[in-house]
Amino acid sequence: MKKGLIYLGLLFVTTLFLAACSASSPGEAAKKYAGYIQKGEYEKFADAIALDEKATPEDNKKNKEMVVALLKEKGAKSIEEKGGIKTIEILSETVSEDGNTAKVVLKQTYGNGDAEDSNFDLVKQDGTWKIVMDK
C-alpha cells in the first residue's frame, strides 16, 4: 500500500512538472520562444519551428540549421546594437475557431529604449504550439 502511494505521488508530481513546462496558450508559447532569442538559445528557437510535413527530415533539418545560422549572424548583431532585449510582452493572441492555429503579437523592448512588435503565426503540432515560418 505504501509503495502504491509513493508511485501515485511520483506520477502526480511528474504530471504537474510536465504541465508547468509546457506553454498552454499560443501567446505564452510565442513569448517563451522569443525568450530563447533573448538568451541567445537559437537552437531551442529553431526546435520550436513547426515541421513542414511535406518536406523530408533532411530538408527540415537544413531549414532549422539555416534559421540558427541567420539568427547567429544577423539577429544577434542587431539585438546587441539595440542593447539586448529587456522585456517581452504579449500584445494580442487570436486563436482560430478550430483551436489549431493562432496569431500572436509580441512587443519587444530593447535596452536602448526602442520597442518593436513581432508577429508570430503558430500551429498546434502534437499538442504543442509551434512557430510557422513563411517561405
Side-chain angles (χ1 to χ4, degrees), residues 17-97:
F17 178 74
L18 290 174
C21 289
S22 65
S24 59
S25 77
E28 291 172 5
K31 185 175 179 179
K32 178 172 112 176
Y33 302 150
Y36 292 153
I37 293 174
Q38 179 182 27
K39 297 174 194 167
E41 297 175 341
Y42 306 123
E43 289 82 9
K44 284 186 178 182
F45 179 84
D47 287 340
I49 296 171
L51 296 175
D52 181 351
E53 295 173 359
K54 296 176 185 173
T56 65
E58 294 81 22
D59 286 341
N60 280 323
K61 183 179 178 187
K62 286 179 187 176
N63 288 337
K64 286 185 178 186
E65 289 171 352
M66 285 189 328
V67 167
V68 170
L70 185 64
L71 287 171
K72 284 181 178 179
E73 182 181 321
K74 299 194 183 215
K77 183 179 178 185
S78 174
I79 291 168
E80 185 179 313
E81 288 173 352
K82 296 177 183 179
I85 300 172
K86 297 302 175 192
T87 61
I88 302 167
E89 176 185 351
I90 301 169
L91 294 181
S92 69
E93 171 185 277
T94 307
V95 180
S96 65
E97 260 186 52

Side-chain angles (χ1 to χ4, degrees), residues 50 101-104 119-123 129-134:
T101 60
K103 294 188 179 292
V104 175
N119 296 306
F120 285 83
D121 290 325
L122 294 108
V123 64
W129 289 106
K130 298 283 190 167
I131 302 165
V132 176
M133 298 297 284
D134 291 329

